[in-house]
Amino acid sequence: MTLLAIETSCDETSVAVIRDGCVLANLVSSQVALHSEYGGVVPELATREHLRNLLPMARAVLEETHFTPSQLDAVAATRGPGLPSALMIGLKAGQALAFALRKPFIGINHHEAHLYSPWISGKPPRAIFEEFQPNISLIVSGGHTMLVHVKRELGHELLGETVDDAAGECFDKTAKLMGLPYPGGPEIDRLAETGNPKAYDFPRPMMHEPNHDFSFSGLKTSVRYFLQKNPELLNDRKRLCDMCASVQAAIIDVLVTKTIKAAKRIDVGCITASGGVTCNRALRNRLVAACVEAGFVLRLADKSLCTDNAAMIGILAERKLLAGTTSTHLDAEIQTSWALSSDAKGDVSSSLARDAT
Ligand code: KG4
Ligand code: ZN
């Protein structure tokens, strides 16, 4: 099966061509530079960039893979959750293409796609579902922090999520308090490398609570108060690095402790992780060490697939179509708050594409 996939849920425009589980092309246009001036994603600007980039990128992946549109067997796009106007660009473009080609269309839950990105690996990247095992999946990005029990392929249960800020948001907001540029996660990662993670003691919210939820806004507040009392710290490079390492250690302690605890409680043998924060080197190292110690298999998404991308959308879409999931209505709307609540057995009913053929 050859499939074109589109991702436009936030500030990355991405288009991929997937064929029989292989990622033949995966173009990503990041808008980080555009939004950094504003200290966060500006939805109107993101939407305009998606509009500008999407069709040239779709053309480029088809050229790169030597496919014509008529050779596609299906089209997929992220349907939610995400920024409304951004989602709309990708979803409507995907539906229009499927309608014109009279091919099935499938709308994908962005978070469900993250669950499978750790199972894409190699060069060229391909889905290694033959190695799949039930797992606890940590999805950790700028907008979300969640623990999911992936019971089987295409079958999952949300265990817990953040009750306030996401972990990436905590990185970004505490970095801003320290005067670091947006996005703050990679900056903290870089400065923390030479810092002492035990220099300052910040809270580890909800780390020992008997649930799978997270909370990071208290940590951010504690950093704010600490800096109000110690403003001179920001002018001292060594202490700034210590501060970054200490904040990072608090976030990572919570993420790793709660992920391991969930895997032990649910009794699965495997942990996976994806989302932008999974690029963090200390988090990757800590997850490796914790999984070795506890005897879990660990699958970390490749760094190029941690952040938002269409490859993961296409890989999941193909898997769903092969499993018999019915295609999505061509007039289906975006689902900005599409919860990752239970087994996604498919998106309702027959498609206009099918009707039209
Ligand atoms: O998945 P993503 O690209 O976008 C969404 O939020 O959906 O994640 C972006 C988040 C930002 O908060 C960014 O600061 C964080 O991922 N991030 C990192 C690192 N690289 C990206 N956080 C910590 N360390 C990093 N190296
Ligand atoms: Zn994402």
Side-chain angles (χ1 to χ4, degrees):
M1 179 185 299
T2 308
L3 184 147
L4 185 114
I6 299 170
E7 154 64 35
T8 62
S9 65
C10 189
D11 61 340
E12 261 112 16
T13 317
S14 182
V15 189
V17 173
I18 307 298
R19 184 177 170 81
D20 301 335
C22 287
V23 181
L24 299 187
N26 179 42
L27 281 185
V28 182
S29 169
S30 170
Q31 303 173 10
V32 163
L34 176 73
H35 299 287
S36 63
E37 190 183 331
Y38 304 94
V41 177
V42 183
E44 287 78 6
L45 292 182
T47 306
R48 234 181 280 167
E49 281 304 289
H50 291 314
L51 258 181
R52 206 191 324 263
N53 293 330
L54 186 55
L55 291 184
M57 287 174 70
R59 238 176 252 124
V61 286
L62 288 173
E63 267 169 30
E64 187 183 330
T65 53
H66 307 292
F67 283 107
T68 61
S70 61
Q71 289 173 308
L72 296 172
D73 298 306
V75 181
T78 305
R79 186 178 173 191
L83 299 173
S85 52
L87 281 170
M88 224 178 283
I89 303 296
L91 182 74
K92 294 298 151 190
Q95 288 169 325
L97 181 60
F99 180 74
L101 297 173
R102 299 181 169 230
K103 293 288 163 63
F105 172 77
I106 189 150
I108 291 291
N109 180 308
H110 179 88
H111 290 138
E112 193 184 359
H114 269 303
L115 297 178
Y116 298 97
S117 60
W119 301 96
I120 305 172
S121 77
K123 277 194 176 72
R126 71 173 189 91
I128 46 164
F129 284 117
E130 65 276 14
E131 291 182 24
F132 177 87
Q133 40 180 313
N135 61 79
I136 294 298
S137 192
L138 173 70
I139 302 177
V140 67
S141 71
H144 298 274
T145 302
M146 47 179 72
L147 278 171
V148 184
H149 177 199
V150 187
K151 301 172 187 176
R152 59 187 173 276
E153 276 181 43
L154 309 183
H156 56 262
E157 181 188 351
L158 176 67
L159 298 177
E161 58 190 327
T162 183
V163 297
D164 43 54
D165 289 353
E169 200 175 351
C170 185
F171 269 107
D172 295 341
K173 288 180 173 171
T174 52
K176 194 171 179 184
L177 292 171
M178 291 186 265
L180 303 175
Y182 173 88
E187 287 294 317
I188 291 185
D189 184 345
R190 194 171 57 79
L191 293 172
E193 197 174 9
T194 54
N196 173 7
K198 295 193 173 138
Y200 307 108
D201 189 21
F202 291 110
R204 271 78 171 150
M206 292 179 86
M207 189 158 82
H208 297 298
E209 285 195 19
N211 58 38
H212 302 297
D213 290 332
F214 299 91
S215 164
F216 289 103
S217 73
L219 170 56
K220 170 194 67 190
T221 307
S222 144
V223 169
R224 173 180 288 125
Y225 289 148
F226 182 78
L227 287 172
Q228 278 169 2
K229 277 192 205 142
N230 304 278
E232 75 292 345
L233 181 152
L234 298 179
N235 301 321
D236 178 333
R237 170 90 184 176
K238 184 186 173 307
R239 293 177 73 197
L240 178 63
C241 291
D242 286 347
M243 180 80 191
C244 287
S246 301
V247 172
Q248 178 175 276
I251 298 172
I252 291 176
D253 266 357
V254 178
L255 293 175
V256 175
T257 303
K258 297 209 81 160
T259 304
I260 296 286
K261 212 189 282 179
K264 285 183 176 165
R265 190 181 78 76
I266 303 288
D267 196 21
V268 295
C270 177
I271 285 174
T272 74
S274 64
V277 177
T278 316
C279 291
N280 184 277
R281 292 168 297 170
L283 173 60
R284 295 177 86 87
N285 291 340
R286 275 288 304 282
L287 279 171
V288 170
C291 285
V292 167
E293 195 191 328
F296 293 119
V297 170
L298 175 67
R299 288 211 67 93
L300 293 170
D302 187 90
K303 277 194 179 179
S304 65
L305 298 175
C306 281
T307 48
D308 294 343
N309 64 86
M312 66 180 188
I313 303 296
I315 288 291
L316 175 60
E318 186 187 47
R319 204 69 185 168
K320 279 180 172 259
L321 286 169
L322 291 173
T325 302
T326 47
S327 26
T328 311
H329 270 299
L330 287 184
D331 53 2
E333 295 299 340
I334 55 168
Q335 294 202 11
T336 51
S337 314
W338 195 355
L340 188 60
S341 50
S342 58
D343 295 8
K345 291 232 165 60
D347 308 323
V348 286
S349 62
S350 62
S351 73
L352 292 180
R354 216 171 268 169
D355 294 342
T357 51

